Amino acid sequence: MNIPYSVWSSYFVDLSPEAMVDEFIKAGYSCTEFSDEHGAMLLERAAGIPGGAEKIGTEMKKYADERGFSFPQGHLYLNVDLCADDAVEILLPWLDLFTAMDIRAGVLHTSCKREDFTAEQRFERWVQVLTKLSGYLRGTQMSIALENAGGYNYSPESLLTLIEAAGGNNLGICLDTGHLNLSRSGKLPRYGMAECTQSEFIRRAGERLIALHIADNDGTADQHMMPFGRGNVKFSDVMQGLREVNYSHLFNLEIPGERSAPLELRHAKLAYIHEICRYLLKE
């Protein structure tokens, strides 16, 4: 498969966004999924500046462009509560930042912390928020990729139903292979979801699949490990599904479980991850 691959930028969460870019380039990578931690760093710089999110995002893109680096994918604010009254207000600066950085897929969790909401109220609130966010993005090249996460939407059907109800514009799906592995093991709730393999999820998501969080675990916790370690995600099944749907977006590893090492050792891991990605993506 001739598609770009990357490691989530939170792998270098202890570095500034610029230093993170430099370290990935040093390790031979040309792109990354921009993490919400690095997004928060940029938005902190933008605070109090009129149009600050767009200005800081443009500066970040220029820094990356000058070095031949890019951000095809980004993670929107991890802790946002989509059922909160201010959810849209919180996320709009993130959309301004990401569109300025030319991020094409902004990953979002469909979270809801309102315990007093019924399932119907929760769904209605999600639709309202996603309709507003997708409308805000209309005319841009960025889409919001809803992740199989957040405590509710683990099946492709639940995500597709939500996307359709919100109008379908600038909306897609992000598959997290680790989350799917946990929902299959029973460690995460299925909410009526029938057992679904990695390739089945991919086939059922179809052309709406626009982002990936490739990660491994052993079925007991969301360990965010690189493939082919102690986990039991069937990556041959993942790749079969991606080939069947002709997936053409970023092949991104979300592996913060691998970052608790000195910088030099993280670089050694990145060299090995090159080989993992080349192996998985070979025709």
Side-chain angles (χ1 to χ4, degrees):
M1 298 178 68
N2 187 24
I3 58 175
Y5 60 84
S6 72
V7 174
W8 189 41
S9 80
S10 188
Y11 190 75
F12 291 120
V13 70
D14 50 330
L15 303 179
S16 71
E18 292 82 2
M20 170 272 293
V21 168
D22 295 342
E23 292 301 325
F24 272 125
I25 292 172
K26 192 184 303 181
Y29 289 77
S30 61
C31 60
T32 187
E33 179 191 39
F34 202 75
S35 74
D36 95 309
E37 295 97 335
H38 283 124
M41 291 180 195
L42 292 187
L43 287 173
E44 185 175 354
R45 296 181 194 175
I49 302 173
E54 183 177 355
K55 290 178 181 178
I56 295 297
T58 300
E59 290 174 5
M60 189 70 234
K61 182 180 184 299
K62 182 174 184 291
Y63 186 91
D65 284 348
E66 290 173 347
R67 290 156 179 79
F69 199 80
S70 65
F71 312 106
Q73 187 173 308
H75 205 306
L76 294 163
Y77 184 39
L78 269 167
N79 293 321
V80 68
D81 177 5
L82 289 193
C83 290
D85 293 338
D86 59 353
V88 173
E89 180 183 351
I90 288 171
L91 286 170
L92 289 185
W94 286 82
L95 299 187
D96 289 340
L97 178 73
F98 279 16
T99 53
M101 293 172 64
D102 199 26
I103 290 173
R104 302 302 175 90
V107 178
L108 182 65
H109 293 184
T110 56
S111 57
C112 185
K113 299 175 184 177
R114 289 287 301 269
E115 295 182 1
D116 59 321
F117 271 23
T118 65
E120 291 76 16
Q121 288 173 317
R122 188 171 59 231
F123 183 82
E124 182 180 348
R125 179 60 181 161
W126 285 334
V127 171
Q128 291 172 350
V129 170
L130 291 173
T131 300
K132 290 178 181 178
L133 295 178
S134 64
Y136 190 76
L137 289 174
R138 191 170 291 118
T140 75
Q141 297 189 70
M142 180 181 164
S143 294
I144 294 171
L146 303 179
E147 186 176 348
N148 55 322
Y152 300 97
N153 294 305
Y154 283 104
S155 75
E157 286 75 22
S158 63
L159 292 168
L160 289 168
T161 299
L162 185 53
I163 288 169
E164 183 177 353
N169 298 310
N170 298 88
L171 296 171
I173 291 173
C174 172
L175 166 62
D176 186 302
T177 60
H179 292 168
L180 182 55
N181 198 50
L182 288 173
S183 64
R184 282 171 52 78
S185 73
K187 292 298 180 181
L188 291 177
R190 292 181 184 166
Y191 294 92
M193 165 184 171
E195 184 163 318
C196 179
T197 67
Q198 302 283 345
S199 61
E200 286 169 347
F201 185 105
I202 292 166
R203 284 193 295 271
R204 283 147 61 177
E207 64 182 11
R208 287 290 186 182
L209 184 68
I210 60 172
L212 293 172
H213 281 172
I214 299 295
D216 205 356
N217 61 60
D218 63 9
T220 66
D222 197 12
Q223 295 148 334
H224 290 109
M225 300 184 293
M226 71 175 78
F228 306 123
R230 303 182 310 280
N232 53 29
V233 172
K234 294 182 179 179
F235 287 100
S236 59
D237 191 42
V238 175
M239 301 314 298
Q240 177 186 333
L242 293 178
R243 290 187 173 91
E244 287 181 10
V245 301
N246 295 314
Y247 179 80
S248 60
H249 306 279
L250 184 65
F251 187 82
N252 175 72
L253 277 66
E254 187 196 45
I255 51 172
E258 303 290 349
R259 71 188 177 202
S260 57
L263 191 60
E264 184 177 353
L265 294 182
R266 275 181 276 169
H267 273 278
K269 286 186 177 184
L270 285 176
Y272 176 56
I273 291 166
H274 271 303
E275 298 307 314
I276 289 175
C277 292
R278 288 166 183 157
Y279 173 82
L280 288 171
L281 293 169
K282 68 183 180 182
E283 296 296 342

